[in-house]
Amino acid sequence: MSFRRKLLEYTQRDVKRLQDRRYNPAKLAGMLFYGGTLGLLFVVPIVGGAYLGRWLDSMVSGYSVRWTLSLILLGIVVGSYNVFRLIHEKN
């Protein structure tokens, strides 16, 4: 089989897959995977900020939560940006 014929065959197969995707709704497993990805993109920066902030606060004598709160808020901002960016890339 020539290269041109293979390319044409693969292209037709990909076009058919894209057309079928428009008419078939997303499956439950796909929606769960997508939701889990969004959740992780949002939660991981928050938890990372909390741990890093707690560690930085433990380095200072006395009781302080400045770094913890600041980095949790930064984690919320970064997590929101990650989710926003992923949703806009998919659309």
Side-chain angles (χ1 to χ4, degrees), residues 4-29:
R4 183 179 214 137
R5 191 163 187 76
K6 277 185 178 180
L7 181 63
L8 182 61
E9 186 178 303
Y10 289 150
T11 305
Q12 288 173 345
R13 185 189 67 198
D14 290 342
V15 167
K16 185 177 183 306
R17 283 182 185 169
L18 287 173
Q19 289 173 344
D20 289 344
R21 185 182 291 169
R22 273 190 232 150
Y23 299 114
N24 293 334
K27 305 287 189 247
L28 179 63

Side-chain angles (χ1 to χ4, degrees), residues 44-62:
V44 168
I46 297 171
V47 172
Y51 278 119
L52 180 62
R54 188 69 191 135
W55 178 72
L56 288 172
D57 283 337
S58 70
M59 297 295 208
V60 178
S61 63

